[in-house]
Amino acid sequence: MSDPDSPPREWPPRDLLAALSLKTTAEAELQLDENVLSELPPDTVILEITPSGASAWVRTVRIRTRQPDGSTKDYFKSQGGSVGKRMMLGAFASERAFYEYAPQNIPKPIAWGNYKSDQDIWFYLAEYHNMVDKVPDPRKFVPVIAKIHQESMGKSPRGKFGFDVPTHLANISIDNGWEETWESFFTRAMSSMLELEGLSQGKADLEYEILKQKLFAKVIPRLLRPLESGGREVTPCLIHSDLWPGNCMIDADTDEIMIFDSCAYWGHNESDLGSWRAPRYRMGKPFFREYQRLVGLSYPEEDWDDRNALYAMRYDILSSALFPNTDEFRKIAKNEMKRLSEKYPNGFDDFIEVVTQD
């Protein structure tokens, strides 16, 4: 297995355009590559390899096996080619981090590496769970997320914001290098996401460019800097960053909430709730209320909804990058940029510190 702890880092990735256009479909395999088989328990017998799930970016299969004790056990494998090394490394490192805090809710990561038969094919291997594809009950789902956030808070390996290896949201490479402050990390992440979206969409839009300038000059400082001023600080916690219903399901056998396909970084806990805002994900207010009940709101509390809108914007920009044949998601992001820039025309200068009397 390859070492996930010391990968090369580059931004933008040299194969960025290949990643933006990567499309693949699951295909049946006749036999398991030797390097994958070597990660399974000795004397494991492969019974069946079948396509599993639907992905536009990687091939995914279910591996049914007979174990040495006679029992059957299933495994999940994803694989990719041109950008597969970075994607599989990110998947393994990210899922391994989450498994540490919620082993009953994360399919156990086993290995990542490349094929012996073709060293340009890279794989990620984990335990397989049969899952029910429906929006989870917020009363069962949100406590799992709150627990991960609370138990990981303050345990960033460098005490900073970021992650040790590049990760991917779908096929989009995420620039998650380490930063000292939450504002600087989010600014960097948003800037790189907008860069990729621009490459993918390839459409000139002067109004959009002006709004992006206001976003960085006014909106982000106004909404994020108060978190780290006046003696306050953001304590990094482990962020999944892709908590939509397609990555949060119910185990059909145990009824446990299962969370997977993380794109981990260490950041502000509220940023993990950005994807819940979009009506297309059918989550929204019941999930927010449950999280606020369990964790509370960061100061200033009255900024909570606008901070969430800012965090949600990143997912609309991501969707715009993933689907360049439509401008629907860009329009959503533009409308939110316009609303927030009009609300905070003076940026951080608009912020008024609330002084309470003891």
Side-chain angles (χ1 to χ4, degrees), residues 161 182 227 234 237 239 267-272 298 307 311:
F161 302 90
W182 170 240
L227 297 168
V234 175
C237 73
I239 301 298
H268 181 214
N269 62 295
E270 291 179 359
S271 67
D272 230 358
S298 296
R307 280 198 304 269
Y311 294 149

Side-chain angles (χ1 to χ4, degrees), residues 5 19 26 67 173 184 195 217 276 281 295 307 314 323 348 357:
D5 295 323
Q67 299 294 292
S173 183
S184 61
E195 177 187 359
W276 300 0
Y281 295 143
V295 181
R307 280 198 304 269
R314 186 165 174 251
F323 303 104
F348 184 67
Q357 298 293 329

Side-chain angles (χ1 to χ4, degrees), residues 122-150:
W122 295 82
F123 70 89
Y124 166 66
L125 185 67
E127 290 186 348
Y128 180 90
H129 289 256
N130 187 26
M131 291 183 254
V132 179
D133 186 4
K134 68 176 183 179
V135 178
D137 183 337
R139 294 168 297 180
K140 294 187 63 176
F141 167 69
V142 175
V144 174
I145 304 305
K147 175 178 177 290
I148 293 171
H149 288 172
Q150 291 171 323

